[in-house]
Amino acid sequence: MCGPLGVSMLVGLVIGWFVFRKDRKYQNLPIPGQLAEGHKQKNMELVHWVTLIAALMVLGINLLSGSLPLGALAGILVMVVGRAIKLEDFDIVVNNGIRIMGLIGFVMLVAAGYSEVIKATGGVDQLVKASVAMVGNSKVMAATMMMLIGLVVTIGIGSSFSTIPVIATLFVPVCMHMGFSPLACAMLIGAAAALGDAGSPASDTTLGPTSGLNADGQHNHIWDTCVPTGILYNVPLALCAILLAPLM
């Protein structure tokens, strides 16, 4: 199941690499924390090596302990001890981080509220029943409908992991009724949950890159992140699930 879906997303990544390789014009706007004017950086400096070590420390401790806060604390300690972050600048760095993450947190809280509403109202259940009545005995049409439902649900929730529990209990009976194999059912659920996540404005998959790329205020979250990501990943994912699931 993971193989074909993974290959389809890799295809989207390769296409995106060629589409977005062309140069883009930016205004020369100041970025908070950028190098002072006249300082031309040619090589990696000590602060950059310290930052790289801190990033690896965060990843390593997170994988070993399973605790993201512990990994983040270790990374901060390494950067402070290594003088990548100076103590006198610590408040500014923290405030800028809270400003960026605060927006992400607010958007994801709204998405979580949307998730609870559709669970409580049973809207997805009604949508699935109406869709099944329309597709008849066509597996291809059933797979297409499940992809569309997954897109609608996930794009509002912003998380494929949160969407799977919502749609799995509804998609499994549909798959059994249509004669899909267990492997095909798992593929459809996974692909349907991933569709909205790839291009959702409320997804950490899109909010994270936008936060970094929009440091100078010249990156649009919807048109520069969500739309390209959604098209390049969703189209191959949907086609892969729709075409392969009925054959399994």
Side-chain angles (χ1 to χ4, degrees):
M1 175 198 67
C2 295
L5 295 181
V7 170
S8 68
M9 296 183 75
L10 182 60
V11 170
L13 178 63
V14 173
I15 295 174
W17 169 261
F18 286 103
V19 170
F20 294 102
R21 284 185 66 187
K22 58 184 179 181
D23 294 335
R24 178 173 173 176
K25 294 182 180 179
Y26 288 97
Q27 299 178 13
N28 189 18
L29 300 177
I31 300 175
Q34 69 178 358
L35 294 172
E37 188 175 354
H39 184 165
K40 295 183 179 180
Q41 175 190 332
K42 296 182 179 180
N43 301 312
M44 288 279 285
E45 298 179 356
L46 179 60
V47 293
H48 303 125
W49 288 111
V50 171
T51 303
L52 180 60
I53 293 172
L56 294 175
M57 182 75 72
V58 172
L59 176 62
I61 293 181
N62 185 25
L63 292 176
L64 291 174
S65 67
S67 173
L68 184 58
L70 182 59
L73 178 61
I76 292 174
L77 290 175
V78 170
M79 295 184 72
V80 171
V81 173
R83 300 288 289 172
I85 299 177
K86 298 178 181 179
L87 285 177
E88 55 268 26
D89 297 333
F90 195 78
D91 286 345
I92 298 175
V93 173
V94 172
N95 288 335
N96 286 336
I98 292 176
R99 176 176 56 83
I100 294 173
M101 296 306 296
L103 175 62
I104 296 177
F106 176 77
V107 173
M108 296 185 76
L109 282 173
V110 173
Y114 169 81
S115 172
E116 293 302 319
V117 169
I118 63 174
K119 287 180 185 178
T121 58
V124 179
D125 189 12
Q126 297 175 13
L127 186 60
V128 170
K129 289 179 180 178
S131 301
V132 170
M134 295 171 57
V135 301
N137 295 321
S138 173
K139 286 187 176 182
V140 174
M141 287 298 298
T144 303
M145 283 295 182
M146 282 188 270
M147 292 302 103
L148 292 175
I149 292 171
L151 176 63
V152 171
V153 174
T154 313
I155 206 167
I157 296 176
S159 171
S160 55
F161 292 102
S162 299
T163 302
I164 288 178
V166 177
I167 65 175
T169 55
L170 303 172
F171 279 14
V172 170
V174 174
C175 290
M176 294 177 63
H177 174 74
M178 298 300 300
F180 284 107
S181 67
L183 185 61
C185 180
M187 170 184 275
L188 290 170
I189 293 173
L195 282 181
D197 196 357
S200 171
S203 171
D204 51 359
T205 305
T206 57
L207 285 167
T210 293
S211 297
L213 295 171
N214 196 39
D216 59 355
Q218 299 183 69
H219 185 87
N220 187 281
H221 180 55
I222 300 299
W223 295 109
D224 295 335
T225 296
C226 297
V227 172
T229 305
I231 293 175
L232 292 171
Y233 279 142
N234 287 351
V235 173
L237 267 175
L239 289 176
C240 177
I242 292 171
L243 297 177
L244 292 184
L247 302 177
M248 291 182 171

